[in-house]
């Protein structure tokens, strides 16, 4: 019923056992469908929330892109360390699109974390590749 309302599989898996436990404690038998619908509404689950629409892969990507790391860059001939989010480092790469010498150190550091940007000639734009193996040392360090 939760999935029919529009809840994601993850939300349905979260709330279904709680609803089942509540029903098992409060009722001697399985309630009728209309009673279940009323119970779902009582718990505020009769409508989905906008932020719930995010898929697990989108949620993972957002978490990954918001993680901070120490970016070592050269500025005015001196090495500078700064804590930046991965998404900000990728944006920095976009601003340096023509300067390969300035891009390479940033690209190398991102690649060590399991994140790589590259030009996809098929679509004519940038693509983000993320290492998803838990054996990748950089991914393990991030998480």
């Amino acid at each position: 019923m939760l999935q029919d309302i529009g809840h994601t599989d993850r939300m349905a898996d979260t709330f279904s056992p709680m609803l089942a436990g509540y029903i098992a404690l409060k009722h001697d038998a399985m309630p009728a469908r209309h009673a279940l619908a009323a119970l779902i509404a009582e718990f505020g689950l009769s409508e989905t929330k906008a932020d719930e629409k995010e898929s697990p892969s989108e949620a993972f990507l957002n978490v990954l892109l918001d993680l901070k790391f120490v970016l070592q860059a050269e500025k005015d001939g001196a090495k500078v360390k700064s804590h930046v989010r991965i998404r900000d480092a990728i944006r920095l790469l976009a601003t340096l699109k023509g300067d390969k010498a300035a891009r390479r150190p940033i690209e190398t550091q991102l690649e060590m974390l399991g994140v790589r940007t590259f030009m996809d000639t098929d679509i004519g734009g940038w693509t983000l590749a993320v290492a998803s193996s838990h054996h990748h040392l950089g991914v393990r360090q991030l998480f």
Side-chain angles (χ1 to χ4, degrees):
M1 288 180 73
L2 292 173
Q3 288 172 323
D4 290 342
I5 292 169
H7 289 285
T8 62
D9 292 343
R10 179 176 286 188
M11 292 299 287
D13 287 346
T14 300
F15 288 109
S16 293
M18 289 188 263
L19 290 168
Y22 180 83
I23 291 167
L25 290 172
K26 293 289 199 171
H27 299 275
D28 293 331
M30 181 71 169
R33 189 166 181 84
H34 71 282
L36 290 173
L39 182 64
I40 287 172
E42 183 180 330
F43 283 103
L45 298 171
S46 58
E47 294 180 6
T48 59
K49 296 180 178 121
D51 60 346
E52 185 185 329
K53 303 280 187 208
E54 184 176 62
S55 72
S57 59
E58 289 171 332
F60 167 78
L61 188 58
N62 282 326
V63 168
L64 173 74
L65 293 176
D66 283 334
L67 291 174
K68 286 189 173 185
F69 74 104
V70 178
L71 176 66
Q72 299 179 19
E74 196 169 307
K75 189 172 187 176
D76 299 328
K79 289 210 173 204
V80 177
K81 292 182 182 180
S82 59
H83 290 81
V84 297
R85 295 181 307 165
I86 290 175
R87 81 173 63 243
D88 295 333
I90 292 169
R91 286 182 183 135
L92 179 59
L93 285 175
T95 62
L96 298 171
K97 58 184 160 192
D99 189 355
K100 287 187 179 186
R103 286 177 56 88
R104 192 62 203 143
I106 300 167
E107 288 172 333
T108 301
Q109 291 173 70
L110 286 172
E111 288 171 6
M112 290 175 65
L113 297 173
V115 178
R116 181 171 179 238
T117 59
F118 61 94
M119 177 58 79
D120 188 340
T121 55
D122 292 338
I123 64 169
W126 290 96
T127 298
L128 180 67
V130 178
S132 60
S133 172
H134 64 280
H135 296 293
H136 189 284
L137 185 59
V139 174
R140 288 175 66 184
Q141 287 174 337
L142 283 173
F143 288 99

